[in-house]
Amino acid sequence: MTALAQLLCGWAVVTLESSGTGVGVVARSGNWPAALGSTTRELGPLVTWDGPPGMPESFALEFTLVRGFAVAVLKTPSNARPGTCVAHLVAGDRATLDGATTLSLYDSGRFLTTVDDPRYPVDHWDPISKPLDSNGFAASADAYLDLDWLPALLGYTLAYLSGRGPAIELRVEDATDALSMLRALYGILPRNSLRDLTFCTMSAPASDAAITAVTRDSHGPAPGNRRIVTPGDRGDESDPYVQLGQQIVGHRRAGITIPETLSTAEEIGAWCFRRHLRTLVPAELDDDRLAEVITDPELSPEWFRDKTVATRAIQLAIGRPSVARALVHIDHLPSVRRTFEKALTDRVTNDTRDRTRTLELARQLGFDLGEAVAAAARRRLETGHGQLSAADAAAVWPRLHADWATGNSKRRQTIAGYLSQHRALREHALGSRDRALVHKALRVEVDDPGVPTGGSRLLHTAMHANLAIVAQVAVDVACDGRDHYALEQILACAPHDRLPALLAECARYPALPALDLMKALTLTRSDPAELVEALRPAWHDLRRALGLPAPIEDLVELDTADPASGNGHRIGIRLPRRGFRRRYDKDRSRAELSTLLQTADEFPPTVQAREIIDGALHSDLEYLVSNLVTRTRSADGPQVLERVLALAPADQLPTLVTACARQWDLPPATLLHAIVALRLSPAELAEALAGGWPWLRTRLDLPQVIAPLLTLVVPQDDPTDSWTSLALDPDGRRARRFWR
């Protein structure tokens, strides 16, 4: 038993409130809640008789909720002082004290009606023990099942508790009749649903109880709109809640009690509806109604004896998890389990939809459908009807892998066809150690028009486990030349941290069209820093595709910083057009320059020729370059260009190269080979090309995003030699002596 706090108040000679005679608290237990107050002023209506002077047999039993506590009160008229009453209060928390406890305390005579005990006043009164929780009102309720007012009282109470109806007023002869009605109410409805129901067997002007009683001794009805319940009155039978009360009474007559676990009017209504559905023929129920019946926790296993019902239950459980959970918790009969297994097997064998959920339901119900799944999967694989699920693929793959391992070409061709048709098989193929099988699975994945390659989970996984094979597939696609989009999507699927390694693996293949690979890369990555990071490991092999002479190719690297355009100076300044300046007291003319260019392949490297070129570089650079471009169109043009570059002074060579590089009519390959023919050191070669490199690199048939990233870098360990022109002296020695 649980101890409840109690307090007794009435007219006495001595009270706890003062030493004088009057109405006051005469006894109080030590655990009385301070929040409720401990004086008549603080307790207020809880200890006040609100009705007319009562007859000796009058009383008022009240259950209410005050300041977070549940309080039960019995008020009886005082014999010592007319107009006052003896009030015995019992208080506890709302989970311990409720209306049913209040009725039990009254029926067991635990409430006091006098203050004549000589021990009073006492402020350490013993707490009152709580009666054992039991449904002691069930018998009382059964005695009232045939009375007209019971369905109305049940319905109006549920309407009030659900917030869809006003409070209730019982019009009875005396308070004893009201208690009988309350016992019937608590004996039929679940106790948890009535936790917040307050009542008072007397009607008072200030009463806000959910149920009040108007007796012959009452002043009159409580204020506000209230539903009236009178013995002999059936209530409003068109009210849905009154109809619900009639259903509850009907179930009780049949010996069916509402489960105590229900706590709301909605739950009670749903329970009654399910009970009604169970009385109907299952064939008349649609899927929603049948699902409601199956999920009823009180459903008997006998209900599934009909094979049609059991089969429909399996169909519903596959698509509705709530039905599946309900079936799992029912202890089915052996015959019903056989029906379940047959329905699941037929579903797995003949239906390609929801196969995964079907297998999950079979596992929950304790059925092993492994053999049925394997047989159905093999049949679908051989006939080509429908896609294999993950479970199907797992069932047939061991046999397919063994057939592939035999090396039989026809069998491998058949398995390759299976991989093309069933994507679920590719996941198992990627886990194989056979490189040919993995390559075939990846190539099929890339060629599958129904799979977006850029978002392929299988390809993304292979980037980590089989990167070399992915690179081989990418090279195959690139060499095919028909589907550049597939190559682009392979690169798009590569994770950021695996892309450099993938490109490096691809670059190892000599047949790789490197320019196509770089173009595809720029369609998936646009940030210069990302491009440099991705291409740098493979650049040593990729730059061979640029067609550059070997000495220049060795200098070309990738970098986001462009030294040629970042120094703030303009490259290749256009010089004013004016006549040659005088040097060594000799006049130079354009006619002499034209004659020199026409015969440069035969003209010896004399001092006169060098002075003509030097003068043109200082005074008429544009004329010199335009004539060079025109001259290079002839068969011996490249040799002329090489000779002129060899005649140019060392300090003017970068200027001449820059001016030539800016001429779109001059092929860059011709200019680059002419520069390489000078056999300059790497540092001198980089210096000579520095000014014209921004124009030359844009004409290498590279993507516009990659071309600006090409820079000339001199190796750190390269020895620096003075610039020499082998065109002046084939063995180089006489030329060095001349420039000294």
Side-chain angles (χ1 to χ4, degrees), residues 125-180:
W125 201 18
D126 293 334
I128 190 172
S129 58
K130 178 189 173 186
L132 291 174
D133 290 334
S134 62
N135 191 4
F137 308 114
S140 300
D142 292 339
Y144 293 100
L145 292 178
D146 295 330
L147 298 183
D148 296 334
W149 53 264
L150 183 57
L153 177 60
L154 296 175
Y156 293 157
T157 301
L158 292 176
Y160 173 81
L161 293 175
S162 63
R164 299 184 180 182
I168 303 162
E169 181 178 289
L170 306 179
R171 293 191 176 178
V172 291
E173 185 68 18
D174 52 34
T176 303
D177 295 337
L179 288 180
S180 299

Short mmCIF file of all heavy atoms in Angstrom, two decimals, residues 125-180:
data_model
loop_
_atom_site.label_atom_id
_atom_site.label_comp_id
_atom_site.label_asym_id
_atom_site.label_seq_id
_atom_site.Cartn_x
_atom_site.Cartn_y
_atom_site.Cartn_z
N TRP A 125 -0.64 13.61 12.10
CA TRP A 125 -1.62 12.54 11.89
C TRP A 125 -1.01 11.49 10.96
O TRP A 125 -0.25 11.81 10.03
CB TRP A 125 -2.86 13.17 11.26
CG TRP A 125 -4.12 12.36 11.41
CD1 TRP A 125 -4.36 11.36 12.28
CD2 TRP A 125 -5.31 12.53 10.66
NE1 TRP A 125 -5.62 10.87 12.14
CE2 TRP A 125 -6.24 11.59 11.14
CE3 TRP A 125 -5.71 13.40 9.64
CZ2 TRP A 125 -7.53 11.48 10.63
CZ3 TRP A 125 -6.98 13.29 9.14
CH2 TRP A 125 -7.88 12.34 9.62
N ASP A 126 -1.36 10.24 11.18
CA ASP A 126 -0.82 9.18 10.33
C ASP A 126 -1.39 9.29 8.92
O ASP A 126 -2.60 9.53 8.75
CB ASP A 126 -1.17 7.80 10.90
CG ASP A 126 -0.47 7.55 12.22
OD1 ASP A 126 0.60 8.16 12.44
OD2 ASP A 126 -1.00 6.76 13.02
N PRO A 127 -0.55 9.10 7.88
CA PRO A 127 -1.09 9.08 6.50
C PRO A 127 -2.07 7.93 6.34
O PRO A 127 -2.01 6.92 7.05
CB PRO A 127 0.16 8.89 5.64
CG PRO A 127 1.30 9.32 6.49
CD PRO A 127 0.91 8.97 7.91
N ILE A 128 -2.96 8.08 5.40
CA ILE A 128 -3.95 7.04 5.13
C ILE A 128 -3.40 6.09 4.07
O ILE A 128 -2.73 6.51 3.11
CB ILE A 128 -5.29 7.67 4.68
CG1 ILE A 128 -6.38 6.60 4.64
CG2 ILE A 128 -5.14 8.36 3.33
CD1 ILE A 128 -7.77 7.20 4.39
N SER A 129 -3.63 4.82 4.26
CA SER A 129 -3.13 3.83 3.30
C SER A 129 -4.06 3.76 2.09
O SER A 129 -5.28 3.83 2.22
CB SER A 129 -3.01 2.46 3.96
OG SER A 129 -4.27 2.06 4.47
N LYS A 130 -3.44 3.60 0.92
CA LYS A 130 -4.21 3.52 -0.33
C LYS A 130 -4.72 2.11 -0.53
O LYS A 130 -3.98 1.13 -0.35
CB LYS A 130 -3.32 3.93 -1.51
CG LYS A 130 -4.02 3.83 -2.85
CD LYS A 130 -3.05 4.04 -3.98
CE LYS A 130 -3.72 3.77 -5.32
NZ LYS A 130 -2.78 3.82 -6.44
N PRO A 131 -5.99 1.94 -0.95
CA PRO A 131 -6.50 0.59 -1.23
C PRO A 131 -5.75 -0.05 -2.39
O PRO A 131 -5.18 0.62 -3.25
CB PRO A 131 -7.97 0.84 -1.59
CG PRO A 131 -8.28 2.20 -1.07
CD PRO A 131 -7.01 2.97 -1.11
N LEU A 132 -5.72 -1.37 -2.40
CA LEU A 132 -5.10 -2.09 -3.51
C LEU A 132 -5.83 -1.79 -4.81
O LEU A 132 -7.06 -1.69 -4.84
CB LEU A 132 -5.12 -3.60 -3.24
CG LEU A 132 -4.23 -4.10 -2.10
CD1 LEU A 132 -4.47 -5.59 -1.87
CD2 LEU A 132 -2.76 -3.84 -2.42
N ASP A 133 -5.03 -1.62 -5.89
CA ASP A 133 -5.64 -1.35 -7.20
C ASP A 133 -6.34 -2.61 -7.69
O ASP A 133 -5.71 -3.65 -7.89
CB ASP A 133 -4.57 -0.93 -8.21
CG ASP A 133 -4.02 0.45 -7.89
OD1 ASP A 133 -4.76 1.23 -7.26
OD2 ASP A 133 -2.86 0.73 -8.26
N SER A 134 -7.60 -2.52 -7.88
CA SER A 134 -8.37 -3.65 -8.42
C SER A 134 -9.64 -3.11 -9.03
O SER A 134 -10.12 -2.04 -8.64
CB SER A 134 -8.70 -4.68 -7.32
OG SER A 134 -9.52 -4.08 -6.33
N ASN A 135 -10.13 -3.83 -9.99
CA ASN A 135 -11.36 -3.39 -10.65
C ASN A 135 -12.55 -3.90 -9.84
O ASN A 135 -13.24 -4.84 -10.22
CB ASN A 135 -11.40 -3.91 -12.09
CG ASN A 135 -12.52 -3.26 -12.90
OD1 ASN A 135 -13.22 -2.38 -12.41
ND2 ASN A 135 -12.68 -3.71 -14.12
N GLY A 136 -12.76 -3.27 -8.70
CA GLY A 136 -13.84 -3.70 -7.82
C GLY A 136 -15.21 -3.24 -8.26
O GLY A 136 -16.21 -3.59 -7.63
N PHE A 137 -15.26 -2.43 -9.30
CA PHE A 137 -16.55 -1.89 -9.75
C PHE A 137 -17.12 -2.67 -10.93
O PHE A 137 -18.16 -2.30 -11.47
CB PHE A 137 -16.39 -0.42 -10.13
CG PHE A 137 -15.73 0.40 -9.07
CD1 PHE A 137 -14.48 0.96 -9.27
CD2 PHE A 137 -16.35 0.59 -7.85
CE1 PHE A 137 -13.87 1.70 -8.29
CE2 PHE A 137 -15.74 1.33 -6.86
CZ PHE A 137 -14.49 1.89 -7.07
N ALA A 138 -16.41 -3.72 -11.41
CA ALA A 138 -16.89 -4.46 -12.58
C ALA A 138 -18.24 -5.11 -12.30
O ALA A 138 -19.15 -5.09 -13.13
CB ALA A 138 -15.86 -5.52 -12.98
N ALA A 139 -18.38 -5.69 -11.09
CA ALA A 139 -19.65 -6.34 -10.76
C ALA A 139 -20.78 -5.32 -10.70
O ALA A 139 -21.91 -5.58 -11.16
CB ALA A 139 -19.52 -7.08 -9.43
N SER A 140 -20.48 -4.13 -10.15
CA SER A 140 -21.51 -3.09 -10.10
C SER A 140 -21.92 -2.67 -11.50
O SER A 140 -23.11 -2.44 -11.78
CB SER A 140 -20.99 -1.88 -9.33
OG SER A 140 -20.64 -2.24 -8.01
N ALA A 141 -20.94 -2.59 -12.39
CA ALA A 141 -21.25 -2.18 -13.76
C ALA A 141 -22.11 -3.22 -14.46
O ALA A 141 -23.04 -2.87 -15.20
CB ALA A 141 -19.95 -1.97 -14.53
N ASP A 142 -21.83 -4.50 -14.24
CA ASP A 142 -22.62 -5.54 -14.90
C ASP A 142 -24.08 -5.48 -14.48
O ASP A 142 -24.97 -5.85 -15.25
CB ASP A 142 -22.03 -6.92 -14.58
CG ASP A 142 -20.67 -7.12 -15.22
OD1 ASP A 142 -20.37 -6.41 -16.21
OD2 ASP A 142 -19.89 -7.98 -14.74
N ALA A 143 -24.33 -5.00 -13.27
CA ALA A 143 -25.71 -4.93 -12.80
C ALA A 143 -26.50 -3.82 -13.49
O ALA A 143 -27.74 -3.82 -13.44
CB ALA A 143 -25.73 -4.72 -11.28
N TYR A 144 -25.79 -2.88 -14.12
CA TYR A 144 -26.47 -1.75 -14.75
C TYR A 144 -26.48 -1.83 -16.28
O TYR A 144 -26.86 -0.87 -16.94
CB TYR A 144 -25.77 -0.44 -14.34
CG TYR A 144 -25.91 -0.11 -12.88
CD1 TYR A 144 -24.88 -0.37 -11.99
CD2 TYR A 144 -27.08 0.47 -12.39
CE1 TYR A 144 -24.99 -0.07 -10.64
CE2 TYR A 144 -27.21 0.78 -11.04
CZ TYR A 144 -26.16 0.50 -10.17
OH TYR A 144 -26.28 0.80 -8.84
N LEU A 145 -26.07 -2.97 -16.86
CA LEU A 145 -25.94 -3.06 -18.32
C LEU A 145 -27.28 -2.88 -19.03
O LEU A 145 -27.30 -2.44 -20.19
CB LEU A 145 -25.31 -4.41 -18.71
CG LEU A 145 -23.84 -4.60 -18.32
CD1 LEU A 145 -23.36 -5.99 -18.71
CD2 LEU A 145 -22.97 -3.53 -18.98
N ASP A 146 -28.37 -3.22 -18.39
CA ASP A 146 -29.67 -3.14 -19.05
C ASP A 146 -30.38 -1.81 -18.82
O ASP A 146 -31.50 -1.62 -19.30
CB ASP A 146 -30.57 -4.28 -18.57
CG ASP A 146 -30.03 -5.64 -18.99
OD1 ASP A 146 -29.37 -5.70 -20.06
OD2 ASP A 146 -30.25 -6.63 -18.26
N LEU A 147 -29.75 -0.89 -18.08
CA LEU A 147 -30.39 0.39 -17.81
C LEU A 147 -30.17 1.35 -18.97
O LEU A 147 -29.11 1.35 -19.62
CB LEU A 147 -29.84 0.99 -16.52
CG LEU A 147 -30.10 0.14 -15.25
CD1 LEU A 147 -29.58 0.86 -14.02
CD2 LEU A 147 -31.60 -0.16 -15.09
N ASP A 148 -31.17 2.19 -19.23
CA ASP A 148 -31.15 3.04 -20.42
C ASP A 148 -30.07 4.12 -20.36
O ASP A 148 -29.54 4.54 -21.38
CB ASP A 148 -32.52 3.70 -20.60
CG ASP A 148 -33.62 2.67 -20.87
OD1 ASP A 148 -33.27 1.59 -21.39
OD2 ASP A 148 -34.79 2.95 -20.57
N TRP A 149 -29.76 4.63 -19.17
CA TRP A 149 -28.87 5.78 -19.07
C TRP A 149 -27.39 5.44 -19.24
O TRP A 149 -26.55 6.33 -19.44
CB TRP A 149 -29.06 6.48 -17.72
CG TRP A 149 -28.93 5.55 -16.53
CD1 TRP A 149 -29.94 4.94 -15.86
CD2 TRP A 149 -27.71 5.12 -15.90
NE1 TRP A 149 -29.47 4.16 -14.83
CE2 TRP A 149 -28.08 4.26 -14.84
CE3 TRP A 149 -26.37 5.38 -16.10
CZ2 TRP A 149 -27.15 3.65 -14.00
CZ3 TRP A 149 -25.44 4.78 -15.27
CH2 TRP A 149 -25.82 3.93 -14.23
N LEU A 150 -27.01 4.15 -19.16
CA LEU A 150 -25.59 3.79 -19.16
C LEU A 150 -24.89 4.14 -20.48
O LEU A 150 -23.81 4.75 -20.46
CB LEU A 150 -25.43 2.30 -18.84
CG LEU A 150 -23.98 1.80 -18.73
CD1 LEU A 150 -23.23 2.60 -17.68
CD2 LEU A 150 -23.94 0.31 -18.41
N PRO A 151 -25.44 3.81 -21.68
CA PRO A 151 -24.74 4.20 -22.92
C PRO A 151 -24.55 5.71 -23.03
O PRO A 151 -23.50 6.18 -23.50
CB PRO A 151 -25.63 3.65 -24.03
CG PRO A 151 -26.39 2.53 -23.39
CD PRO A 151 -26.62 2.97 -21.98
N ALA A 152 -25.58 6.48 -22.59
CA ALA A 152 -25.46 7.94 -22.67
C ALA A 152 -24.35 8.44 -21.76
O ALA A 152 -23.54 9.31 -22.13
CB ALA A 152 -26.79 8.59 -22.31
N LEU A 153 -24.26 7.91 -20.53
CA LEU A 153 -23.21 8.34 -19.60
C LEU A 153 -21.82 8.00 -20.15
O LEU A 153 -20.90 8.82 -20.10
CB LEU A 153 -23.42 7.68 -18.24
CG LEU A 153 -22.35 7.98 -17.18
CD1 LEU A 153 -22.27 9.47 -16.90
CD2 LEU A 153 -22.63 7.20 -15.89
N LEU A 154 -21.67 6.80 -20.71
CA LEU A 154 -20.38 6.41 -21.29
C LEU A 154 -20.01 7.32 -22.46
O LEU A 154 -18.87 7.80 -22.58
CB LEU A 154 -20.42 4.95 -21.74
CG LEU A 154 -20.63 3.89 -20.65
CD1 LEU A 154 -20.77 2.51 -21.28
CD2 LEU A 154 -19.47 3.90 -19.66
N GLY A 155 -20.98 7.55 -23.36
CA GLY A 155 -20.70 8.35 -24.54
C GLY A 155 -20.39 9.79 -24.20
O GLY A 155 -19.42 10.38 -24.73
N TYR A 156 -21.18 10.41 -23.31
CA TYR A 156 -20.94 11.81 -22.95
C TYR A 156 -19.59 11.96 -22.24
O TYR A 156 -18.89 12.97 -22.42
CB TYR A 156 -22.07 12.31 -22.04
CG TYR A 156 -23.41 12.42 -22.74
CD1 TYR A 156 -24.60 12.40 -22.01
CD2 TYR A 156 -23.49 12.54 -24.12
CE1 TYR A 156 -25.83 12.49 -22.64
CE2 TYR A 156 -24.73 12.63 -24.75
CZ TYR A 156 -25.89 12.61 -24.02
OH TYR A 156 -27.10 12.71 -24.64
N THR A 157 -19.22 10.97 -21.43
CA THR A 157 -17.93 11.04 -20.73
C THR A 157 -16.77 10.98 -21.73
O THR A 157 -15.81 11.75 -21.63
CB THR A 157 -17.81 9.90 -19.72
OG1 THR A 157 -18.89 9.99 -18.77
CG2 THR A 157 -16.48 9.97 -18.98
N LEU A 158 -16.85 10.07 -22.70
CA LEU A 158 -15.78 9.97 -23.71
C LEU A 158 -15.72 11.24 -24.56
O LEU A 158 -14.63 11.69 -24.94
CB LEU A 158 -16.01 8.74 -24.59
CG LEU A 158 -15.82 7.38 -23.90
CD1 LEU A 158 -16.18 6.25 -24.85
CD2 LEU A 158 -14.39 7.22 -23.40
N ALA A 159 -16.87 11.82 -24.86
CA ALA A 159 -16.88 13.06 -25.64
C ALA A 159 -16.20 14.18 -24.87
O ALA A 159 -15.43 14.98 -25.43
CB ALA A 159 -18.32 13.44 -26.00
N TYR A 160 -16.48 14.26 -23.57
CA TYR A 160 -15.84 15.31 -22.75
C TYR A 160 -14.33 15.09 -22.67
O TYR A 160 -13.54 16.04 -22.82
CB TYR A 160 -16.46 15.30 -21.35
CG TYR A 160 -15.75 16.23 -20.39
CD1 TYR A 160 -16.02 17.59 -20.39
CD2 TYR A 160 -14.79 15.74 -19.50
CE1 TYR A 160 -15.36 18.45 -19.52
CE2 TYR A 160 -14.12 16.59 -18.63
CZ TYR A 160 -14.40 17.94 -18.65
OH TYR A 160 -13.74 18.79 -17.80
N LEU A 161 -13.90 13.86 -22.45
CA LEU A 161 -12.47 13.58 -22.32
C LEU A 161 -11.70 13.82 -23.62
O LEU A 161 -10.52 14.15 -23.59
CB LEU A 161 -12.26 12.14 -21.86
CG LEU A 161 -12.74 11.82 -20.43
CD1 LEU A 161 -12.61 10.34 -20.14
CD2 LEU A 161 -11.96 12.64 -19.41
N SER A 162 -12.37 13.66 -24.76
CA SER A 162 -11.71 13.90 -26.05
C SER A 162 -11.81 15.36 -26.48
O SER A 162 -11.32 15.71 -27.56
CB SER A 162 -12.33 13.01 -27.13
OG SER A 162 -13.70 13.32 -27.31
N GLY A 163 -12.44 16.21 -25.66
CA GLY A 163 -12.56 17.62 -25.99
C GLY A 163 -13.65 17.93 -26.99
O GLY A 163 -13.64 19.00 -27.60
N ARG A 164 -14.62 17.03 -27.16
CA ARG A 164 -15.68 17.23 -28.15
C ARG A 164 -17.06 17.27 -27.53
O ARG A 164 -18.06 17.03 -28.21
CB ARG A 164 -15.61 16.12 -29.20
CG ARG A 164 -14.30 16.11 -29.96
CD ARG A 164 -14.28 15.07 -31.05
NE ARG A 164 -13.01 15.09 -31.77
CZ ARG A 164 -12.73 14.30 -32.80
NH1 ARG A 164 -13.63 13.41 -33.21
NH2 ARG A 164 -11.56 14.38 -33.40
N GLY A 165 -17.12 17.56 -26.24
CA GLY A 165 -18.41 17.64 -25.59
C GLY A 165 -18.31 18.41 -24.29
O GLY A 165 -17.22 18.52 -23.70
N PRO A 166 -19.43 18.95 -23.80
CA PRO A 166 -19.41 19.71 -22.54
C PRO A 166 -19.38 18.78 -21.34
O PRO A 166 -19.35 17.55 -21.46
CB PRO A 166 -20.72 20.50 -22.62
CG PRO A 166 -21.63 19.62 -23.42
CD PRO A 166 -20.76 18.92 -24.43
N ALA A 167 -19.38 19.40 -20.15
CA ALA A 167 -19.43 18.63 -18.91
C ALA A 167 -20.79 17.94 -18.76
O ALA A 167 -21.71 18.14 -19.57
CB ALA A 167 -19.14 19.54 -17.73
N ILE A 168 -20.91 17.13 -17.71
CA ILE A 168 -22.08 16.26 -17.56
C ILE A 168 -22.76 16.56 -16.22
O ILE A 168 -22.10 16.86 -15.22
CB ILE A 168 -21.64 14.78 -17.61
CG1 ILE A 168 -20.89 14.51 -18.92
CG2 ILE A 168 -22.83 13.84 -17.46
CD1 ILE A 168 -20.07 13.25 -18.89
N GLU A 169 -24.07 16.46 -16.25
CA GLU A 169 -24.85 16.67 -15.03
C GLU A 169 -25.76 15.46 -14.81
O GLU A 169 -26.51 15.06 -15.70
CB GLU A 169 -25.70 17.93 -15.16
CG GLU A 169 -26.53 18.25 -13.92
CD GLU A 169 -27.31 19.53 -14.09
OE1 GLU A 169 -26.68 20.61 -14.08
OE2 GLU A 169 -28.55 19.45 -14.26
N LEU A 170 -25.63 14.86 -13.62
CA LEU A 170 -26.47 13.71 -13.25
C LEU A 170 -27.66 14.23 -12.43
O LEU A 170 -27.46 14.85 -11.38
CB LEU A 170 -25.67 12.71 -12.42
CG LEU A 170 -24.34 12.20 -13.01
CD1 LEU A 170 -23.67 11.24 -12.05
CD2 LEU A 170 -24.57 11.54 -14.36
N ARG A 171 -28.83 13.99 -12.90
CA ARG A 171 -30.04 14.40 -12.16
C ARG A 171 -30.62 13.16 -11.49
O ARG A 171 -31.24 12.31 -12.15
CB ARG A 171 -31.04 15.05 -13.10
CG ARG A 171 -30.51 16.37 -13.64
CD ARG A 171 -31.56 17.17 -14.37
NE ARG A 171 -31.03 18.46 -14.78
CZ ARG A 171 -31.73 19.37 -15.47
NH1 ARG A 171 -32.99 19.10 -15.81
NH2 ARG A 171 -31.17 20.51 -15.81
N VAL A 172 -30.35 13.09 -10.18
CA VAL A 172 -30.70 11.89 -9.42
C VAL A 172 -31.44 12.30 -8.15
O VAL A 172 -31.54 13.48 -7.80
CB VAL A 172 -29.43 11.10 -9.07
CG1 VAL A 172 -28.81 10.49 -10.31
CG2 VAL A 172 -28.41 11.98 -8.35
N GLU A 173 -31.92 11.28 -7.45
CA GLU A 173 -32.68 11.54 -6.22
C GLU A 173 -31.75 12.00 -5.10
O GLU A 173 -32.05 12.96 -4.39
CB GLU A 173 -33.43 10.26 -5.81
CG GLU A 173 -34.34 10.42 -4.61
CD GLU A 173 -35.54 11.31 -4.90
OE1 GLU A 173 -35.85 11.52 -6.11
OE2 GLU A 173 -36.15 11.83 -3.95
N ASP A 174 -30.63 11.34 -4.93
CA ASP A 174 -29.69 11.73 -3.88
C ASP A 174 -28.28 11.36 -4.33
O ASP A 174 -28.06 10.79 -5.41
CB ASP A 174 -30.04 11.07 -2.55
CG ASP A 174 -30.21 9.56 -2.67
OD1 ASP A 174 -29.49 8.95 -3.50
OD2 ASP A 174 -31.06 8.99 -1.97
N ALA A 175 -27.30 11.68 -3.48
CA ALA A 175 -25.90 11.45 -3.82
C ALA A 175 -25.58 9.97 -3.96
O ALA A 175 -24.66 9.59 -4.70
CB ALA A 175 -24.99 12.09 -2.77
N THR A 176 -26.32 9.12 -3.26
CA THR A 176 -26.06 7.68 -3.36
C THR A 176 -26.31 7.18 -4.78
O THR A 176 -25.56 6.34 -5.30
CB THR A 176 -26.94 6.91 -2.36
OG1 THR A 176 -26.69 7.41 -1.04
CG2 THR A 176 -26.65 5.43 -2.40
N ASP A 177 -27.38 7.70 -5.42
CA ASP A 177 -27.63 7.31 -6.81
C ASP A 177 -26.51 7.78 -7.73
O ASP A 177 -26.13 7.08 -8.68
CB ASP A 177 -28.97 7.91 -7.26
CG ASP A 177 -30.15 7.33 -6.50
OD1 ASP A 177 -30.00 6.21 -5.97
OD2 ASP A 177 -31.19 8.00 -6.43
N ALA A 178 -25.97 8.96 -7.46
CA ALA A 178 -24.86 9.46 -8.27
C ALA A 178 -23.64 8.57 -8.13
O ALA A 178 -22.93 8.28 -9.11
CB ALA A 178 -24.52 10.90 -7.87
N LEU A 179 -23.38 8.09 -6.90
CA LEU A 179 -22.25 7.18 -6.70
C LEU A 179 -22.44 5.88 -7.47
O LEU A 179 -21.49 5.31 -8.00
CB LEU A 179 -22.07 6.89 -5.21
CG LEU A 179 -21.51 8.03 -4.35
CD1 LEU A 179 -21.41 7.59 -2.89
CD2 LEU A 179 -20.16 8.47 -4.87
N SER A 180 -23.67 5.38 -7.55
CA SER A 180 -23.92 4.16 -8.31
C SER A 180 -23.59 4.35 -9.78
O SER A 180 -23.00 3.47 -10.43
CB SER A 180 -25.39 3.75 -8.14
OG SER A 180 -25.69 3.49 -6.78
#
